[in-house]
Amino acid sequence: MAKIYALVLVMFFKILVVASAGNFNQDFDITWGDGRAKILNNAQLLTLALDKTSGSGFKSRNQYLFGKIDMQIKLVPGNSAGTVTAYYLSSLGSAHDEIDFEFLGNLSGDPYILHTNVFTQGKGNREQQFYLWFDPTENFHTYSILWNPQSIIFSVDGTPIREFKNLEPRGIPFPKKQAMWIYSSLWNADDWATRGGLVKTDWSKAPFTASYRNFNAQACIWSSGSSSCSSSPSSSSKEAWFTQSLDATGKGRMKWVQKNYMIYDYCKDTKRFPQGVPLECTVAS
């Protein structure tokens, strides 16, 4: 009986430090917005608002070094031109790492643009942009970042849309040493967000509101210089996400998205990179 109790206790604490789900009061701090961000419904719902005076934002209480991060988001409805809803992982400093989802608003009836980027050691310029195959303002949809030592995979409702592989043996930096916080914000970017800044925010439609629910983190929490995950866990205890990669089905679904919904890929922008596209674009997958 004592052994069973001890095993249950160990498993409880393992879940406690590695996984986090669903309570915004426990998982996040509202960092700016002067009351425009609200935690509601027994901490199961968080809303961000933007008006002409200010936007708003929040930040995770924990830092993570690898993990599978899920968030359900319902974006600003109607005429959202000029607004940006950002949801991303980032460390601090000029040589920071960052993994970005940004949702660029648009005029009523025109599609949102999903903007993705990866920064390593302070260097980004790895943008890929997509239309979505649904209206992201009508219902909540799940936006996921899987970040492990092998790759970073961006997914929407479980469908992978982008992969950034660890190609360090080829001299390409990969984010693996800097723990990151989760951030989200809703802000005005009408100088560039919609049609390159040609369409401005219509403040008569304010306040603009984005909603969040069902946050889930299967992740290694970084605290006081150490990780909640063992540096070399045994195969029996290793979380599935830590070694997860795209299988043939996942690669096929990602190819479908990129063929039908990708609208910008830095790897194909030869005008932007006249001396040659970045090295990761030329390495065979």
Side-chain angles (χ1 to χ4, degrees):
M1 180 65 71
K3 288 184 178 180
I4 293 174
Y5 175 79
L7 180 60
V8 170
L9 195 62
V10 167
M11 291 304 295
F12 171 78
F13 279 107
K14 181 181 177 184
I15 293 169
L16 183 65
V17 297
V18 175
S20 175
N23 187 304
F24 283 105
N25 278 327
Q26 294 177 1
D27 296 321
F28 294 94
D29 289 317
I30 293 171
T31 50
W32 65 286
D34 196 23
R36 291 171 179 80
K38 300 183 188 310
I39 295 175
L40 307 166
N41 296 1
N42 295 318
Q44 300 302 300
L45 177 71
L46 189 153
T47 61
L48 295 181
L50 164 69
D51 59 33
K52 197 168 186 178
T53 301
S54 177
S56 50
F58 62 88
K59 174 185 176 182
S60 64
R61 294 187 172 183
N62 290 320
Q63 286 179 278
Y64 303 96
L65 187 62
F66 303 125
K68 184 178 185 297
I69 311 296
D70 303 319
M71 184 77 82
Q72 290 192 337
I73 307 174
K74 183 162 66 172
L75 297 175
V76 174
N79 182 359
S80 59
T83 71
V84 173
T85 306
Y87 162 58
Y88 60 103
L89 296 169
S90 184
S91 59
L92 300 177
S94 59
H96 74 291
D97 294 334
E98 187 172 324
I99 305 169
D100 289 345
F101 276 116
E102 290 187 312
F103 303 91
L104 312 185
N106 217 329
L107 295 169
S108 299
D110 290 342
Y112 263 83
I113 292 174
L114 171 53
H115 175 101
T116 66
N117 204 352
V118 176
F119 286 73
T120 57
Q121 300 175 14
K123 181 179 180 296
N125 299 325
R126 298 184 176 99
E127 300 91 345
Q128 290 184 350
Q129 294 182 337
F130 305 82
Y131 288 140
L132 294 165
W133 48 96
F134 52 84
D135 182 346
T137 73
E138 289 188 345
N139 294 296
F140 285 90
H141 293 270
T142 303
Y143 302 93
S144 304
I145 295 170
L146 172 63
W147 169 38
N148 63 28
Q150 294 79 45
S151 64
I152 297 165
I153 300 171
F154 297 76
S155 297
V156 177
D157 288 338
T159 295
I161 64 171
R162 176 179 185 176
E163 181 181 31
F164 183 80
K165 292 183 177 181
N166 184 342
L167 298 172
E168 284 186 311
R170 301 296 299 269
I172 300 163
F174 184 83
K176 69 174 190 180
K177 295 181 179 178
Q178 299 186 59
M180 301 195 229
W181 284 274
I182 302 168
Y183 295 86
S184 190
S185 58
L186 174 58
W187 51 291
N188 178 46
D190 65 4
D191 56 335
W192 65 271
T194 305
R195 299 183 186 173
L198 294 176
V199 181
K200 301 300 182 182
T201 303
D202 181 356
W203 294 112
S204 71
K205 306 297 184 185
F208 304 98
T209 303
S211 302
Y212 302 75
R213 72 180 188 188
N214 291 347
F215 166 70
N216 186 67
Q218 302 174 65
C220 300
I221 296 172
W222 184 261
S223 179
S224 302
S226 63
S227 171
S228 63
C229 302
S230 170
S231 59
S232 56
S234 65
S235 58
S236 61
S237 65
K238 186 177 290 185
E239 299 288 339
W241 60 262
F242 196 83
T243 56
Q244 185 177 340
S245 59
L246 288 178
D247 58 15
T249 300
K251 290 178 180 178
R253 293 167 73 190
M254 184 173 70
K255 185 177 180 180
W256 173 81
V257 172
Q258 294 183 351
K259 178 181 178 182
N260 292 285
Y261 296 97
M262 180 183 282
I263 59 173
Y264 177 80
D265 182 0
Y266 75 108
C267 283
K268 298 178 181 178
D269 194 344
T270 54
K271 290 183 178 179
R272 182 181 177 188
F273 301 105
Q275 305 303 316
V277 295
L279 181 59
E280 66 266 20
C281 300
T282 64
V283 176
S285 59

